[in-house]
Amino acid sequence: MVSLKIQNLKKSYGAAEVIKSVSFDVAQGEFVVFVGPSGCGKSTLLRMIAGLEEISGGDLLIDGQRVNDVAPDRRGLAMVFQSYALYPHMTVAENMGFALRLAGVPKEERRKKVEDAARILQLETLLDRKPANLSGGQRQRVAIGRAIVRHPKIFLFDEPLSNLDAALRGQTRMELVALHRQLKGTMIYVTHDQVEAMTMADRIVVLRAGVVEQIGRPLELYNEPANTFVAGFIGSPKMNLLNATVRSSDGERIELTLDGGQSIRVGGFANVQADARVTLGLRPDMLKPADDGPIFGTIVLSEQLGKETLIHVDLGTGEPLTVSYEGQHAMVIGARISLTPDLDRLHLFNESGTRVDRVRSTIMA
Ligand code: ADP
Ligand code: MG
């Protein structure tokens, strides 16, 4: 069942169009993450759904009903912000019950809903405290509790973990996933952090400059990025994107020359013409040091992370290359290194940056 439907949604501030005809559906119970770099329009889109920003064009439907002009408090949504926006003079219980009080919910029912939410969030022992006497993570949970008590049709989160330190962010991430499973609510979550998107989402909406670049499940985006933007944005360390020219193509096997002069032959790509400019996508773990690999360059930096060694290689093209070499290896800065790409898994993008699909996976060395 569709919970939220967005059709050709647009938002302009004067002449600046910040959301450019965005369309997608969110299913009942789904956890959808909007991800993209700072300024791409994530918060604007979320605030349009919440009713906090006027919609310039298109339709917004909740449970099949057009709500473009419905007031925020009548949309049945609850939003959790990065700044928790708790009332400092109220206790945890009062903060959590405040919206219910405004809505005229009787005291006894309010108390029960607050206690239910407190139990879910393990805040039972903190109900009489003021926000000043809570840790960042606890305040964050109170802000979520304030949303839970309202039993919203859709939960909206705008970078709610950004104020937490790294360890707490990781932990709270898992708690939110568990909470989603428990409540079975529809959730829309905004973040600039692709790790949060990958680990939390049922489906990810990748935004860039007000445009949807791709929508899909986390591993779909990772395994089959629709374009070079998604390829570079999803995954850490980033996918290496190397420019190349197609030397020859026989309809299934192509020969490429990287801008650094190295040649690679790869099978499985049809519809690529000779002389076409292309971009080769190689994740850092798709490159292995080898005695006589087709890609070679100079080691400019190495980082020992314990389970892997990251090697940064200068190919002489100005395009830095990152290699993730499993295990612990001492690398000599300035030394030459030769690398073999995993031809079976490499990605190819055409001149406009759009993915070229493989017809079949053949390995041609
Ligand atoms: P994100 O949340 O992805 O970082 P935002 O949705 O906050 O991005 O902003 C998207 C774009 O809209 C940005 O370029 C921002 O400068 C612009 N913007 C946001 N609010 C306003 C406003 N009130 N007036 C003009 N431009 C705005
Ligand atoms: Mg934002």
Side-chain angles (χ1 to χ4, degrees):
M1 204 177 91
V2 174
S3 179
L4 177 78
K5 192 173 196 66
I6 286 176
Q7 286 176 317
N8 305 321
L9 217 60
K10 289 181 187 151
K11 175 71 185 177
S12 300
Y13 292 109
E17 206 180 16
V18 297
I19 298 293
K20 301 167 189 168
S21 200
V22 163
S23 302
F24 58 86
D25 291 353
V26 176
Q28 171 65 45
E30 202 176 13
F31 197 133
V32 168
V33 175
F34 298 170
V35 74
S38 178
C40 71
K42 305 178 295 293
S43 295
T44 303
L45 188 55
L46 198 72
R47 293 170 59 83
M48 287 161 80
I49 296 167
L52 303 174
E53 293 286 348
E54 214 172 288
I55 292 170
S56 310
D59 298 310
L60 178 70
L61 289 86
I62 295 173
D63 288 345
Q65 199 192 345
R66 189 174 186 276
V67 295
N68 285 44
D69 304 311
V70 173
D73 60 342
R74 307 202 60 94
R75 294 189 186 187
L77 314 178
M79 187 147 166
V80 179
F81 299 91
Q82 176 180 343
S83 62
Y84 318 127
L86 301 178
Y87 297 109
H89 60 286
M90 292 184 192
T91 64
V92 167
E94 286 163 348
N95 263 288
M96 282 167 65
F98 188 62
L100 300 178
R101 203 173 100 201
L102 286 186
V105 174
K107 192 173 177 186
E108 196 48 32
E109 189 183 336
R110 230 158 57 205
R111 193 182 59 80
K112 180 161 184 331
K113 286 186 167 166
V114 168
E115 282 175 2
D116 284 348
R119 192 163 47 251
I120 290 169
L121 295 165
Q122 289 156 28
L123 288 170
E124 294 136 298
T125 58
L126 303 176
L127 284 172
D128 295 327
R129 287 225 198 140
K130 298 271 173 67
N133 302 322
L134 299 175
S135 70
Q138 289 166 338
R139 276 179 217 161
Q140 220 287 325
R141 294 220 295 280
V142 176
I144 295 171
R146 215 168 32 177
I148 290 177
V149 296
R150 298 169 61 190
H151 293 286
K153 287 180 191 157
I154 306 177
F155 287 87
L156 306 175
F157 298 95
D158 192 352
E159 311 234 14
L161 309 187
S162 297
N163 286 349
L164 306 179
D165 64 45
L168 197 53
R169 222 164 39 226
Q171 183 195 329
T172 312
R173 205 164 77 200
M174 293 307 125
E175 286 174 5
L176 269 176
V177 172
L179 183 68
H180 173 246
R181 207 165 292 145
Q182 189 179 352
L183 297 176
K184 299 180 173 57
T186 308
M187 297 189 173
I188 302 179
Y189 185 102
V190 160
T191 180
H192 64 277
D193 180 350
Q194 60 92 24
V195 174
E196 279 182 19
M198 289 295 283
T199 53
M200 298 175 86
D202 291 322
R203 265 190 323 147
I204 299 174
V205 177
V206 183
L207 287 165
R208 172 168 65 157
V211 173
V212 173
E213 293 285 333
Q214 190 171 3
I215 300 178
R217 289 196 296 276
L219 289 181
E220 280 172 358
L221 303 195
Y222 185 87
N223 294 328
E224 295 189 0
N227 51 51
T228 47
F229 177 77
V230 177
F233 194 80
I234 300 287
S236 178
K238 276 183 192 318
M239 186 190 287
N240 297 296
L241 295 167
L242 304 177
N243 293 316
T245 303
V246 177
R247 284 297 153 221
S248 65
S249 164
D250 66 5
E252 63 123 5
R253 179 176 42 161
I254 55 175
E255 181 165 0
L256 304 166
T257 305
L258 298 182
D259 284 5
Q262 302 95 334
S263 282
I264 293 176
R265 281 202 293 166
V266 54
F269 291 105
N271 305 320
V272 185
Q273 308 300 321
D275 297 330
R277 291 285 292 162
V278 291
T279 301
L280 211 61
L282 285 163
R283 293 206 184 274
D285 63 332
M286 294 181 185
L287 286 153
K288 294 273 172 296
D291 284 343
D292 57 351
I295 298 176
F296 41 89
T298 307
I299 299 173
V300 290
L301 182 71
S302 91
E303 299 170 277
Q304 296 258 21
L305 299 179
K307 89 176 187 7
E308 62 178 341
T309 305
L310 293 182
I311 314 167
H312 301 268
V313 179
D314 177 6
L315 298 180
T317 56
E319 295 166 318
L321 185 82
T322 307
V323 179
S324 160
Y325 192 9
E326 204 178 316
Q328 304 177 359
H329 308 275
M331 291 287 156
V332 181
I333 305 303
R336 297 284 287 169
I337 186 168
S338 150
L339 302 157
T340 298
D342 184 342
L343 298 175
D344 225 7
R345 289 163 68 217
L346 65 73
H347 302 268
L348 194 69
F349 304 94
N350 68 19
E351 191 165 14
S352 50
T354 304
R355 173 179 197 78
V356 179
D357 280 317
R358 270 172 195 275
V359 284
R360 60 194 173 86
S361 58
T362 352
I363 307 172
M364 295 276 170

